[in-house]
């Protein structure tokens, strides 16, 4: 059964990707940074909704950016179609 819930598009993270550092790799980062990186993704999990994050370009430093799409219950197929369409556009490698 298809859901009538619209598909929402939102940033995957609240901030651009941080530089890869020894502290980040060692798991010794600030709680503020971790909260900003994970600010939006729990939304779908808490609401038990399907979601997918797809590449949406690179920032001026060449770091990958992404966008998250969230659908209603049963919307997994729609999300996969959107992800495939975004992948085929080459958007993931486009400078933002």
């Amino acid at each position: 059964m298809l859901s009538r819930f619209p598909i929402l598009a939102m940033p995957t993270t609240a901030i651009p990707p941080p530089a890869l550092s020894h502290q980040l790799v060692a798991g010794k980062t600030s709680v503020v940074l971790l909260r900003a990186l994970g600010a939006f993704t729990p939304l779908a999990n808490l609401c038990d909704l399907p979601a997918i994050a797809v590449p949406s370009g690179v920032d001026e430093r060449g770091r990958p950016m992404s966008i998250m799409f969230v659908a209603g219950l049963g919307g997994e197929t729609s999300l996969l179609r959107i992800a495939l369409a975004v992948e085929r556009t080459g958007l993931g490698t486009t400078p933002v």
Side-chain angles (χ1 to χ4, degrees):
M1 179 163 87
L2 293 176
S3 171
R4 295 186 188 272
F5 184 81
I7 294 178
L8 303 174
M10 59 193 301
T12 306
T13 62
I15 59 171
L20 190 59
S21 66
H22 293 290
Q23 290 86 5
L24 187 63
V25 172
K28 298 177 182 176
T29 58
S30 76
V31 174
V32 173
L33 174 63
L34 294 176
R35 284 186 181 162
L37 289 172
F40 302 135
T41 53
L43 172 66
N45 294 335
L46 292 172
C47 295
D48 199 24
L49 297 174
I52 193 166
V54 296
S56 64
V58 294
D59 68 9
E60 67 279 351
R61 300 165 294 175
R63 297 180 190 153
M65 307 289 285
S66 66
I67 188 167
M68 181 172 67
F69 295 95
V70 182
L73 295 176
E76 291 87 350
T77 302
S78 296
L79 290 175
L80 291 172
R81 286 184 181 141
I82 289 170
L84 179 60
V86 170
E87 181 180 337
R88 287 181 175 165
T89 67
L91 183 64
T93 58
T94 304
V96 178

